Amino acid sequence: MDPIYLDNNATTPLLPAVWDAMRPYAVEAYGNPASAHAFGRRARRGLEDAREQAAALLGAHPDELVFTSGATEANNLALFGLSGDPPGRLVASPVEHPSVIEPLNQLAAAGFTVEWLPVDGQGVVSPAGINPAAGLVAVMLANHETGAVQPVCALAEWADGAAFHCDATQAVGKMPVHFHELGVTSLSLSAHKFHGPKGVGALLLRRGAKLRPRTWGGHQQAGRRPGTESAALAVGLAAALDLACRDMQRRTTVVRSLRERMLTGLHGSAAPLTLNGPAEGGLPHTVSVSFPGLKADALLMALDLAGVACSAGSACSSGSLLPSPVLRAMGVPDAVLHSAARFSLSALLTPADIDEAVRRIAAAVRRLRQNLPAAQARD
Ligand code: PMP
């Protein structure tokens, strides 16, 4: 039985063309980019070309791009680095990734006040009733669990001069992202979400924004993120982003049609189910559905045995079996909350993969539903 990978919001496979672009910088041009000799100069050239290419693809200046180990580090760098000193007021959406929520909790413990923006039933954030006067506002571009796209441009205008951090990890490579047009102060991304390597991401930071570094001990990247840079990983990020941008229209069309196929198939063979997040207008890569009555962890295990890889809520909370804080913030009923499965797609999948996945999901759902009364009797 061939496994079917439907967990592309957790991570995506590295494309062979990306590996080909990176490999020379791992094996041959292995110098330290800070070294003045020929080995170092070659690595530095690769690193700075990658910075220029990635920044241009995202509508930023090269000196506005700071390479990091991924989006978790970039989010931490932005939130701790731009929030200033307590006491201050921070405003954020409650549907952010834990790598934004947890730093905000830490800042709250350090004396900041954190206010949460309202979210509607589709997972879309609005500023209604919230005072924009804040030291820092944080709202993501596309949600990792529902695919909801947030009105970041409008929110940045509403924030009117406050520093604004946007976690664009699930959006970059999947929809056009132009840093300056979004009007935000900082923006985070991670290469492994768009078929690049794991362990590299970036923080885009507006020229002139005052960032307090999180780590100290080197002059690299203007001291904003000291430490030896990996030219190979940076080249991988830029190559993956370049491919994603050039192929975006085709990939989006493919993924949109796979999503429709999957939803039609599931409605036909695994009803009743509910779709979490926007039916239209979100990123089509995410199919979050609930099978009321079932338990998400039991379904996930059954699907793993059946060779379908997916996730319950976000990958980071699925290990702990806690219900998704994102769906909770959207106010979904308990039965929907506890039975949510997130299938996330990529353009590498085929219609036949989707048909087979739907067949396996429907079989698992039917079997679990048959067992439901007995299981409930045991409880
Ligand atoms: N933000 C969002 C919206 C994400 O989906 C993820 C990955 N799950 C992250 C941040 C963290 O990214 P990384 O794995 O690069 O640390």
Side-chain angles (χ1 to χ4, degrees), residues 5 7 17 64 72 77 82 108 150 161 166 213 225 299-300 305 316 331 357 379:
Y5 186 74
D7 206 9
E64 292 178 313
T72 299
L77 186 54
L82 293 171
Q150 306 299 348
C166 177
R225 199 275 195 173
L299 178 59
L300 236 67
L305 286 174
C316 310
D379 282 345

Side-chain angles (χ1 to χ4, degrees), residues 188-210:
S188 50
L189 59 130
S190 188
H192 72 99
K193 305 290 188 185
F194 48 88
H195 302 287
K198 292 170 189 57
V200 64
L203 182 70
L204 301 183
L205 185 71
R206 280 267 180 163
R207 278 179 180 168
K210 287 254 173 308

Side-chain angles (χ1 to χ4, degrees), residues 296 312-314 317-325 328 337-338:
S314 74
S317 63
S318 67
S320 62
L321 302 181
L322 291 174
S324 149
R328 203 186 272 291
L337 186 66
H338 292 289

Side-chain angles (χ1 to χ4, degrees), residues 9 70-72 75 97 99 140 142 144 167 169-170 190 192-193 316:
N9 283 10
T72 299
N75 285 336
H97 187 265
S99 59
M140 70 199 331
H144 48 299
D167 175 1
T169 307
Q170 290 292 346
S190 188
H192 72 99
K193 305 290 188 185
C316 310

Side-chain angles (χ1 to χ4, degrees), residues 46-300:
L47 175 71
E48 295 310 329
D49 285 352
R51 194 190 308 275
E52 248 173 60
Q53 186 182 18
L57 290 166
L58 295 165
H61 301 298
D63 56 297
E64 292 178 313
L65 191 152
V66 180
F67 285 112
T68 63
S69 62
T72 299
E73 185 191 345
N75 285 336
N76 275 265
L77 186 54
L79 293 162
F80 287 106
L82 293 171
S83 49
D85 293 313
R89 186 168 169 270
L90 313 175
V91 173
S93 99
V95 293
E96 298 296 303
H97 187 265
S99 59
V100 169
I101 299 279
E102 281 308 315
L104 288 170
N105 289 342
Q106 297 278 334
L107 288 164
F112 286 90
T113 305
V114 181
E115 228 171 289
W116 303 101
L117 292 160
V119 177
D120 69 15
Q122 311 286 298
V124 177
V125 172
S126 95
I130 304 288
N131 182 350
L136 175 67
V137 177
V139 181
M140 70 199 331
L141 190 49
N143 188 268
H144 48 299
E145 291 190 35
T146 63
V149 173
Q150 306 299 348
V152 169
C153 242
L155 287 165
E157 255 176 58
W158 164 85
D160 190 28
F164 196 115
H165 175 63
C166 177
D167 175 1
T169 307
Q170 290 292 346
V172 167
K174 299 179 194 162
M175 62 183 267
V177 172
H178 193 289
F179 181 51
H180 286 169
E181 282 176 9
L182 276 175
V184 298
T185 314
S186 59
L187 180 146
S188 50
L189 59 130
S190 188
H192 72 99
K193 305 290 188 185
F194 48 88
H195 302 287
K198 292 170 189 57
V200 64
L203 182 70
L204 301 183
L205 185 71
R206 280 267 180 163
R207 278 179 180 168
K210 287 254 173 308
L211 182 88
R212 188 185 291 166
R214 289 290 286 160
T215 44
W216 306 86
H219 55 272
Q220 293 92 343
Q221 307 202 80
R224 294 172 296 185
R225 199 275 195 173
T228 303
E229 308 95 329
S230 165
L233 291 177
V235 166
L237 181 150
L241 185 58
D242 182 47
L243 284 174
C245 291
R246 280 193 281 132
D247 201 18
M248 190 175 286
Q249 224 169 3
R250 185 197 66 84
R251 288 187 192 176
T252 305
T253 307
V254 168
V255 169
R256 187 168 288 133
S257 110
L258 294 176
R259 180 179 197 261
E260 273 165 29
R261 192 178 188 96
M262 183 162 188
L263 283 172
T264 306
L266 288 176
H267 278 295
S269 58
L273 60 100
T274 57
L275 176 68
N276 303 312
E280 301 287 335
L283 280 185
H285 305 71
T286 311
V287 182
S288 172
V289 284
S290 290
F291 302 93
L294 299 191
K295 289 267 182 281
D297 50 334
L299 178 59
L300 236 67

